[in-house]
Amino acid sequence: MSQALQNLLFDEDHRQMFLKKHGWEIMHSVGQDSSIRRYFRVSKGSQNAILMETVPDGSTHATPGHSLDDFIRIASWLRDIGLKAPEIYEQDLKNGYLLLEDLGDLCFRDALDSGEDASMLYGLARDILDHIAAQNCSLDLPDYYDAHVHRRHRRIVDWFIPLMRGTPNEEGLVEEYLTVWRGIESSAPPVRQGFLHIDFHAQNLMWLPSETGLKRCGILDFQGAMLGPRPYDLGNILEDARRDVPAEVKSHILDQLSEDERIWFRILATQFHCRVIGQFIKQAVIDENPAYLKHVPRLQNYLANGPKDPILTPLARWFTQQRIDFSSAASLENLEILRPLIAEDAQ
């Protein structure tokens, strides 16, 4: 998010009025994510909390599928089923503020970087998903297949293929690609549906060693949750766009899946990579945010290897026909040359 857009969307006076009304003071910023949300650590006497600042629900700048109301009701459901999601202390939905329980600074990513046992942390993440899968989800949530998350796996065609070829896409290329995926999905076995966090990765899971059991994992950034094929979240955490998971840890968890679950893990993880590799390029070009480009080589590696699975043979064949070689590094230095190559209907 550019500084100009931040200045347009966020009103410091409104923020201070909200905090003053409830007796809190800002200590410092704790960053922002890739959507229109910022976070501040605040204090009231000896108590700390986190201020989430975003645009109000219904704003034209709101991230699709993400709302403050969704955050509140999903957090409540997660706590009701025995998991650790932040309590909501105060709210101002009209102006885009939530005051949340502070779950600390130690996300799984940082815990792993400091030497915490990877098998234990990724095993805990898998236990969280198993626990959620065992619940009867009472939430009214969007369907994965009707939502932007599934539709936008076409972004690899919209943004990555023109970059690799240096030419605009020919007419009908996106539909060819989508037809290949429809064939793959229709040939796959049935898969169980359930609650999907949608952004289940090591930066959205907090390591809370003073807690016990499943509550040692604090869960954040779940407001985009959906109902859909259960292996989706496992694909997010084991083939993280932002970090490498130890091969032995990944293999151990995947070995516990049924054959049908493994097939859908491969389908959903690869669709995720197809969406995110295009999304990171789009963010650099359109939003002037190149921070995620450093992860493109990792995504290329996933896309070089994932389609070797027999279920994805039609996709591998299609990429070969399009002369897309994921082992060749994408040129990411001067993305301005990409602008005239992008189709008007690119997502």
Side-chain angles (χ1 to χ4, degrees):
M1 179 171 46
S2 69
Q3 186 62 51
L5 184 56
Q6 289 186 42
N7 294 339
L8 175 67
L9 296 179
F10 297 129
D11 188 320
E12 185 174 350
D13 289 339
H14 281 161
R15 184 199 312 140
Q16 293 299 333
M17 288 173 60
F18 172 74
L19 291 172
K20 184 176 180 180
K21 176 182 177 181
H22 300 291
W24 295 85
E25 295 182 351
I26 287 181
M27 297 169 64
H28 54 82
S29 169
V30 289
Q32 63 186 64
D33 54 27
S34 59
S35 66
I36 308 295
R37 284 190 299 273
R38 303 195 300 185
Y39 300 90
F40 301 86
R41 179 161 280 117
V42 298
S43 64
K44 180 198 291 186
S46 61
Q47 184 181 7
N48 289 348
I50 297 294
L51 174 68
M52 177 195 292
E53 178 181 55
T54 185
V55 294
D57 295 353
S59 167
T60 56
H61 294 284
T63 302
H66 290 215
S67 75
L68 293 172
D69 181 68
D70 287 339
F71 187 97
I72 293 168
R73 65 193 185 93
I74 295 168
S76 177
W77 182 77
L78 291 170
R79 292 194 301 271
D80 286 347
I81 65 170
L83 299 178
K84 185 68 174 179
E87 295 278 356
I88 314 297
Y89 297 149
E90 306 290 350
Q91 61 189 59
D92 177 357
L93 303 188
K94 179 180 177 180
N95 290 303
Y97 300 113
L98 289 180
L99 200 60
L100 310 174
E101 179 183 3
D102 188 349
L103 299 186
D105 293 314
L106 192 60
C107 65
F108 274 29
R109 177 201 63 186
D110 296 340
L112 289 162
D113 288 345
S114 67
E116 198 66 65
D117 182 65
S119 296
M120 181 271 295
L121 287 178
Y122 284 106
L124 177 57
R126 170 66 197 274
D127 290 345
I128 293 288
L129 295 180
D130 285 346
H131 180 77
I132 291 173
Q135 311 303 311
N136 179 23
C137 183
S138 58
L139 294 167
D140 180 17
L141 296 172
D143 184 272
Y144 168 78
Y145 285 102
D146 294 334
H148 63 284
V149 171
H150 184 253
R151 290 195 306 271
R152 289 179 181 172
H153 69 76
R154 62 172 278 177
R155 282 183 167 171
I156 192 170
V157 182
D158 287 334
W159 295 89
F160 184 77
I161 287 182
L163 176 68
M164 294 298 282
R165 288 175 164 180
T167 60
N169 290 335
E170 59 268 30
E171 187 174 350
L173 192 66
V174 169
E175 185 53 38
E176 277 187 29
Y177 164 83
L178 295 177
T179 298
V180 171
W181 270 117
R182 285 193 287 267
I184 291 169
E185 290 175 324
S186 65
S187 70
V191 62
R192 295 182 68 189
Q193 309 289 302
F195 176 94
L196 305 181
H197 180 289
I198 291 296
D199 212 9
F200 195 77
H201 60 77
Q203 288 173 248
N204 285 337
L205 304 177
M206 305 302 294
W207 175 228
L208 307 173
S210 63
E211 298 280 355
T212 60
L214 296 180
K215 289 188 176 181
R216 292 175 298 158
C217 175
I219 306 172
L220 302 177
D221 208 15
F222 41 73
Q223 61 277 349
M226 298 178 187
L227 294 176
R230 286 179 173 170
Y232 180 90
D233 284 340
L234 194 61
N236 273 205
I237 188 77
L238 292 185
E239 293 195 356
D240 194 330
R242 299 166 179 82
R243 68 177 299 115
D244 298 323
V245 176
E248 65 278 9
V249 172
K250 178 180 173 182
S251 295
H252 175 72
I253 293 175
L254 291 182
D255 285 346
Q256 300 172 45
L257 301 183
S258 69
E259 179 62 18
D260 290 355
E261 289 172 329
R262 190 202 60 76
I263 287 172
W264 276 99
F265 171 90
R266 185 69 275 139
I267 289 172
L268 295 162
T270 299
Q271 285 184 341
F272 172 79
H273 305 322
C274 288
R275 172 170 61 90
V276 174
I277 198 168
Q279 181 171 308
F280 287 172
I281 293 168
K282 180 183 180 182
Q283 285 176 311
V285 175
I286 302 301
D287 301 331
E288 300 179 358
N289 178 9
Y292 295 96
L293 291 179
K294 63 185 178 184
H295 303 303
V296 168
R298 178 178 297 107
L299 291 164
Q300 285 194 232
N301 185 59
Y302 289 144
L303 288 163
N305 290 296
K308 294 176 182 177
D309 190 293
I311 191 64
L312 297 185
T313 296
L315 182 68
R317 185 183 305 120
W318 188 83
F319 281 132
T320 298
Q321 291 169 350
Q322 303 308 317
R323 307 184 309 281
I324 299 301
D325 178 7
F326 291 104
S327 65
S328 298
S331 177
L332 303 172
E333 288 75 24
N334 181 17
L335 290 181
E336 280 302 308
I337 62 174
L338 185 59
R339 284 182 180 269
L341 307 181
I342 301 304
E344 291 184 2
D345 65 348
Q347 294 191 9

